Amino acid sequence: NLYIKPFAVSTYRPDLPDDRTDADTGLDVKYGLNADLTLDLTVNTDFSQVEVDEQQVNLTRFSLFLPEKREFFLENSGLFDVGGRTAGRFLGARGGVRSRDVIPFFSRRIGLSQTGQPLPIRGGARLTGKIGGFDVGAMNIQVGREGETPADNWSVFRFRREVLANSDVGTFFFNRQTSETGYWNRSSGADANFRFLGQRLTFSGFAMKTYTPGEDMDNLAGRIETSFQDNFFTARTSFVTIEEGFHNDFGFVPRASIRKSHLITGVRPRPGRGPVRQIFPQFESSYITDQSNELLTREHRVGVNIEFHASDTINLNRNM
């Protein structure tokens, strides 16, 4: 129940007049405290073998979403997922993934400066597993100083418990502390996922509040979502609100100070004969306002997806 992975890396550059050598070492440790609880430790974490990000072109004024690829943060990451993921598989739409309007915990924030430059992770610890019927996740990461960016500490605490037949409720707390400047950022909240009728009907959502030095106003965010999906009918509706003073250093929020209503629905008939496996006509609508209910963006889409038995697909969409 003990796994140790040390690393060492060294470079030699004879073409440089000074600082021709460079060396670095680190260590990862995994220890099973018991059958249900695992402790992970890291010192001077090595990310040299992490897969590079897929290149994207951003033609909007909002931030791109780049998924986490660092091994230390990927392991047991589902435990730290707040609000759950959309149930079901909405063909040709953005279903089956988490909503990206507001993600409470996004681990890529740890170890990056405000300008997106990597910062050294000096060490950290993560405890995951079950204690007394609760799913427990705790993480503490120390990020080192780099240039003018001061060192800071990131802490995450997550508790979740299964209820009813196939549902769960949870709570969470995040804390970032910068000792040199006295800056701090904290977030707390709760989430729930209820599933009925063999997971065909789901209700999910979360609510959270952030705290930073200064005024404590208009700092709430939340999302509620309902979906139903069977072999013929599919529908999902959601509502997101992000207040103007909401500021979460741990999360991903591409567009602040909004209210967003979203709907997608369709039917999926299956022809009894021929090469077509499924036809999925659908309608999707998104309505975004500011916190004063002034319209910012309105989008509608109608489309049809045709899936063949050979796994080929044809997607036709009209955006309005």
Side-chain angles (χ1 to χ4, degrees):
N1 61 345
L2 178 64
Y3 176 76
I4 301 176
K5 184 173 70 174
F7 85 89
V9 59
S10 178
T11 60
Y12 173 64
R13 292 287 302 275
D15 56 317
L16 299 179
D18 300 314
D19 299 328
R20 295 184 176 182
T21 61
D22 186 20
D24 202 5
T25 60
L27 182 70
D28 291 335
V29 177
K30 180 183 293 293
Y31 178 62
L33 300 176
N34 55 43
D36 299 320
L37 210 57
T38 302
L39 175 66
D40 291 271
L41 303 173
T42 181
V43 178
N44 199 21
T45 316
D46 175 36
F47 298 124
S48 61
Q49 299 184 47
V50 174
E51 180 184 358
V52 298
D53 292 315
E54 180 180 352
Q55 186 175 2
Q56 300 183 45
V57 178
N58 188 7
L59 301 178
T60 73
R61 64 183 187 276
F62 308 118
S63 299
L64 288 173
F65 179 84
L66 299 173
E68 178 64 83
K69 296 185 177 181
R70 296 173 294 181
E71 180 182 357
F72 182 81
F73 295 103
L74 284 176
E75 190 172 1
N76 294 326
S77 60
L79 180 58
F80 297 96
D81 185 28
V82 173
R85 296 175 181 266
T86 301
R89 180 171 177 255
F90 293 78
L91 298 178
R94 289 165 292 183
V97 298
R98 70 171 72 183
S99 168
R100 293 178 182 171
D101 297 304
V102 51
I103 299 178
F105 178 66
F106 183 47
S107 58
R108 284 203 64 150
R109 296 296 188 200
I110 303 175
L112 286 180
S113 68
Q114 294 294 329
T115 59
Q117 299 302 312
L119 302 174
I121 293 182
R122 300 305 184 192
R126 180 184 61 219
L127 181 69
T128 55
K130 286 185 175 293
I131 299 179
F134 286 87
D135 295 326
V136 177
M139 184 187 306
N140 183 272
I141 302 293
Q142 180 63 42
V143 178
R145 181 183 182 89
E146 184 75 12
E148 298 181 357
T149 303
D152 53 10
N153 183 267
W154 303 67
S155 299
V156 180
F157 300 94
R158 172 75 162 136
F159 299 91
R160 187 174 62 196
R161 185 178 181 89
E162 294 184 0
V163 296
L164 303 178
N166 192 20
S167 304
D168 59 81
V169 296
T171 185
F172 55 92
F173 175 75
F174 310 144
N175 180 65
R176 179 190 179 190
Q177 190 81 34
T178 303
S179 57
E180 298 179 29
T181 63
Y183 171 81
W184 51 266
N185 177 261
R186 295 165 188 151
S187 303
S188 61
D191 68 325
N193 298 277
F194 294 97
R195 307 171 184 91
F196 305 101
L197 303 178
Q199 301 194 41
R200 296 192 301 274
L201 177 63
T202 65
F203 301 92
S204 63
F206 70 88
M208 62 183 299
K209 185 174 183 179
T210 61
Y211 309 86
T212 52
E215 296 184 4
D216 185 17
M217 297 177 60
D218 300 327
N219 53 359
L220 297 173
R223 175 173 60 86
I224 55 176
E225 181 176 298
T226 302
S227 68
F228 178 83
Q229 178 171 327
D230 60 15
N231 292 331
F232 180 75
F233 179 70
T234 292
R236 184 183 75 217
T237 181
S238 64
F239 176 76
V240 174
T241 180
I242 306 170
E243 294 186 342
E244 185 175 359
F246 179 83
H247 180 69
N248 177 23
D249 288 351
F250 288 78
F252 179 79
V253 180
R255 193 172 187 177
S257 188
I258 63 168
R259 293 173 178 169
K260 178 179 178 180
S261 301
H262 180 260
L263 167 70
I264 178 172
T265 184
V267 294
R268 300 185 293 180
R270 295 173 177 263
R273 298 180 180 179
V276 176
R277 173 186 298 168
Q278 177 179 267
I279 302 174
F280 186 18
Q282 56 193 257
F283 171 76
E284 183 175 13
S285 178
S286 180
Y287 193 86
I288 302 176
T289 70
D290 60 17
Q291 288 295 315
S292 300
N293 292 322
E294 291 291 332
L295 178 63
L296 299 177
T297 303
R298 179 177 55 225
E299 298 177 335
H300 304 296
R301 180 183 65 86
V302 293
V304 58
N305 301 336
I306 303 173
E307 182 179 357
F308 297 89
H309 289 288
S311 298
D312 300 323
T313 60
I314 297 177
N315 303 321
L316 303 174
N317 293 281
R318 173 73 165 90
N319 298 315
M320 298 170 288

